[in-house]
Amino acid sequence: LSSWRLRDLIWWRSGVYQGMSRELLVVQRARKSFQTGKTKPLEYRIHQLKNLLRFLSERRSDIADAVKRDLGKSAHGTELFETLGLEGEINLAIEKLAEWAAPRPVEKSLLTIFDEVYIQPEPLGVMLIIGTWNYPWAITLQPLVGAIAAGNAAVIKPSEVSSHSAKVMEELLPQYLDKDLYPVVTGGVPETQELLKQRFDHIFYTGSSTVGKLVMAAAAPHLTPVTLELGGKSPCYIDKNCDIRVACRRITWGKFVNCGQTCIAPDFILCEPSIQSQVVEEIKKCIKEFYTDNPETFEDYGRIINQRHFKRLMALMEGSTVAVGGNSDESQCYIAPTVLKDVTEESEVMKEEIFGPLLPIITVSGVDEAIQFINEREKPLVIYIFSHDNKLIKKVIAETSSGALLANDCLVHYTVSALPFGGVGNSGMGCYHGRHSFDQLSHLRSCLIKQLKMEGVNSMRYPPHTAKKLGWARFLLKQVNMCRLRRMALLATLASVASVAAFVVQVKELKYPSSVPRAVKGFALISAIFYFTRL
């Protein structure tokens, strides 16, 4: 047991904490530690981020072993899809933290032109991060990077479904991070429910829409803001005129990585009937290329997380025609990469997010019907489209709504830290990654600092209010573009220099006609032309 857990156990048995839940004590300790102000200095935040980076480096084998036992993923797969992106996010936060946390000047009005007007990011307080099981390290710790960078405390609740990863996180992470500010709480539904009863300043949840609604309801009594990273059925439209071989290659990778257990995996394909057979055949070739003739024995093809999800997925195949794959082994929680053809919108597999290695194909007459099909359902986390036609891609962007849209590839938008990652509507709210994590988990505080001077200008707002005062108010409250003002000031300076130069040239020419260098004349002429043309 870690030192703080051992201390709690001793105090608990002695009656010091009688009537108080473990979850309540953890939150109280985190809040008390946060209120000391120790997270405000940027140096402290950077120190914690570096410790988190050291944790990922030194405990790489422990993490890989836990993921192997949870999901059957190889060590290389764990590094590629779990820790590599995390390390990039941490390094970015360390590099950019001073810039992100700095005051952000804003445009002023004439009334505030001599005042300090800016946005100051500040910590929200104590966060709750509820992770999920499909990527138990990347998806749980990436919000933590943003929480630490923004100066928050964070209670970390890993998913009990990926139990081996949760245990490693609970035992090892407190050895690297502040134990009071960033505690790990493990357990199942009762422990999560008890945590949700506590007051937090922000809750970050990743998982299903059903549980997301429960999290939002639990946050409501405290008016706690939430970030919900949910899922949904992400469609993938294939234009018949695109390079179908390349499209199917990228779709196969995006769908079956992590055994299909990825929130942004293509959930189903939309294509015209004329290319359905070709799509099936190309995906079949790619499955063989990526996972060999027998994916069950291939190291980089994982397993379904547990028996419950295995049975759910097998039930989803009922009533659909298996075109590729379909093999399974319940004792190993193995389902082969599977393609289902001639699927209809009434099929079982279309009634919920699949979250497994099943890829249904639905035929449509063209892009217009595909757009209609998408718009008749909940807004997805991402829409995929494969086409050479840029106008067709822009049409889908203009006529649909989703958390993201990716053309001619799958999943890779998740790797771009500059892009906000998140859903819309039923697929979630809020976003993160890179600076978006920092802003999402900060309070962007509006600041205006005036001087106790120029009271004559301020008198317009005091009673009595007259038409004359109203006219001045309209003028002074107009927004001022400070960049334009600075440019105008620079041009005015250049104009002054040009005027003086022109005057000197005229005097010199009157007294000494041949003594004025051509360069001086040229400078005067260019300065004058530049000034008047910019005006």
Side-chain angles (χ1 to χ4, degrees):
L1 290 173
S2 59
S3 59
W4 67 270
R5 291 183 67 215
L6 184 60
R7 179 190 64 194
D8 284 349
L9 185 59
I10 295 169
W11 285 12
W12 186 286
R13 288 181 176 174
S14 65
V16 174
Y17 291 158
Q18 193 169 5
M20 301 174 72
S21 69
R22 176 178 65 122
E23 290 75 23
L24 172 59
L25 293 171
V26 167
V27 177
Q28 286 182 344
R29 188 185 301 109
R31 190 169 298 281
K32 184 177 180 180
S33 187
F34 172 78
Q35 289 172 345
T36 65
K38 68 194 296 184
T39 67
K40 288 201 171 181
L42 300 190
E43 296 78 12
Y44 180 84
R45 305 181 199 180
I46 290 172
H47 178 67
Q48 293 296 308
L49 288 169
K50 287 181 177 179
N51 284 347
L52 184 57
L53 194 62
R54 188 164 58 87
F55 165 73
L56 294 173
S57 175
E58 293 179 1
R59 299 296 184 173
R60 196 176 302 277
S61 61
D62 297 289
I63 292 170
D65 180 63
V67 175
K68 178 70 175 179
R69 296 170 72 183
D70 284 327
L71 289 154
K73 195 180 295 184
S74 69
H76 293 303
T78 297
E79 184 170 0
L80 182 61
F81 296 107
E82 297 275 5
T83 58
L84 203 60
L86 266 175
E87 289 169 348
E89 284 283 307
I90 296 170
N91 284 321
L92 178 66
I94 291 170
E95 178 189 349
K96 297 287 187 179
L97 184 56
E99 176 188 328
W100 295 347
R104 306 173 187 181
V106 297
E107 288 188 358
K108 304 177 184 181
S109 67
L110 289 172
L111 190 63
T112 60
I113 196 167
F114 298 110
D115 305 326
E116 286 186 69
V117 187
Y118 59 92
I119 296 167
Q120 179 62 62
E122 65 176 17
L124 288 171
V126 181
M127 283 183 56
L128 172 61
I129 299 172
I130 304 176
T132 190
W133 53 263
N134 59 324
Y135 293 91
W137 294 93
I139 292 179
T140 305
L141 296 187
Q142 208 162 81
L144 179 62
V145 175
I148 295 173
N152 299 301
V155 177
I156 305 154
K157 172 59 180 69
S159 173
E160 71 280 6
V161 178
S162 49
S163 57
H164 298 95
S165 293
K167 183 179 179 182
V168 171
M169 197 178 295
E170 179 189 31
E171 291 177 353
L172 299 184
L173 194 59
Q175 297 179 21
Y176 293 82
L177 298 181
D178 188 298
K179 301 175 181 64
D180 293 332
L181 283 168
Y182 311 110
V184 179
V185 176
T186 56
V189 174
E191 288 78 11
T192 305
Q193 289 175 336
E194 185 62 31
L195 277 173
L196 288 171
K197 292 177 184 177
Q198 313 310 317
R199 179 184 173 273
F200 289 96
D201 299 294
H202 195 98
I203 298 175
F204 196 111
Y205 168 77
T206 304
S208 68
S209 300
T210 301
V211 178
K213 293 173 184 177
L214 298 176
V215 171
M216 198 170 182
H222 301 294
L223 295 179
T224 300
V226 296
T227 300
L228 301 177
E229 296 295 339
L230 309 177
K233 297 183 73 64
S234 296
C236 177
Y237 176 70
I238 303 176
D239 178 21
K240 66 179 180 181
N241 296 317
C242 78
D243 187 329
I244 293 176
R245 185 188 66 83
V246 173
C248 290
R249 186 178 178 81
R250 296 179 183 182
I251 292 167
T252 302
W253 171 76
K255 176 62 183 181
F256 298 114
V257 70
N258 201 35
C259 210
Q261 298 165 119
T262 305
C263 62
I264 51 173
D267 193 87
F268 60 93
I269 289 174
L270 296 170
C271 67
E272 295 186 29
S274 60
I275 64 169
Q276 181 180 214
S277 297
Q278 185 181 356
V279 167
V280 169
E281 198 57 38
E282 291 296 340
I283 293 176
K284 184 178 180 180
K285 292 177 185 176
C286 292
I287 291 172
K288 182 178 180 180
E289 177 188 350
F290 295 166
Y291 304 111
T292 73
D293 287 323
N294 188 9
E296 187 172 4
T297 61
F298 189 64
E299 183 186 23
D300 281 326
Y301 187 74
R303 294 295 182 266
I304 307 304
I305 186 66
N306 56 29
Q307 294 281 335
R308 182 172 69 86
H309 281 281
F310 175 89
K311 291 175 180 177
R312 178 187 64 83
L313 287 166
M314 293 304 294
L316 291 181
M317 283 199 282
E318 293 179 4
S320 298
T321 303
V322 175
V324 179
N327 304 327
S328 64
D329 182 348
E330 185 173 352
S331 66
Q332 296 293 317
C333 287
Y334 166 78
I335 299 177
T338 300
V339 179
L340 306 174
K341 67 176 183 179
D342 300 325
V343 175
T344 66
E345 54 187 294
E346 291 82 22
S347 300
E348 288 296 320
V349 76
M350 293 303 295
K351 293 181 179 178
E352 62 179 77
E353 182 180 5
I354 296 170
F355 222 68
L358 313 179
L359 182 57
I361 300 176
I362 294 179
T363 57
V364 291
S365 60
V367 68
D368 290 323
E369 188 179 346
I371 290 172
Q372 182 182 349
F373 189 93
I374 293 167
N375 289 339
E376 287 173 350
R377 285 152 183 80
E378 297 284 5
K379 295 179 181 179
L381 191 53
V382 58
I383 293 173
Y384 296 107
I385 176 171
F386 286 83
S387 177
H388 290 307
D389 188 346
N390 199 48
K391 288 183 178 179
L392 188 146
I393 294 170
K394 294 296 178 65
K395 176 183 175 70
V396 175
I397 293 174
E399 297 182 16
T400 60
S401 178
S402 59
L405 183 138
L406 180 53
N408 297 321
D409 211 338
C410 292
L411 311 188
V412 295
H413 65 293
Y414 183 88
T415 66
V416 183
S417 294
L419 287 175
F421 181 83
V424 58
N426 205 61
S427 58
M429 61 180 66
C431 60
Y432 69 126
H433 285 190
R435 182 169 180 162
H436 304 288
S437 298
F438 181 90
D439 287 351
Q440 181 76 16
L441 304 178
S442 297
H443 170 54
L444 301 182
R445 190 180 193 182
S446 301
C447 297
L448 191 153
I449 303 174
K450 295 186 72 72
Q451 301 294 322
L452 291 172
K453 300 175 182 178
M454 300 180 67
E455 187 63 9
V457 176
N458 289 322
S459 63
M460 75 176 69
R461 60 188 179 180
Y462 304 142
H465 302 296
T466 64
K468 184 177 181 181
K469 284 187 175 181
L470 186 62
W472 275 107
R474 286 197 184 102
F475 173 70
L476 292 175
L477 289 174
K478 285 183 177 179
Q479 292 293 310
V480 177
N481 188 321
M482 297 305 295
C483 291
R484 188 177 180 186
L485 276 182
R486 282 193 289 269
R487 192 162 61 245
M488 290 173 66
L490 175 63
L491 291 174
T493 303
L494 284 172
S496 300
V497 171
S499 299
V500 171
F503 177 75
V504 170
V505 167
Q506 289 178 350
V507 171
K508 285 268 188 179
E509 282 193 323
L510 285 174
K511 295 180 70 176
Y512 311 105
S514 61
S515 66
V516 181
R518 289 184 180 181
V520 174
K521 294 180 182 180
F523 172 75
L525 178 61
I526 291 170
S527 297
I529 292 171
F530 177 77
Y531 172 68
F532 288 112
T533 54
R534 291 294 287 177
L535 288 181

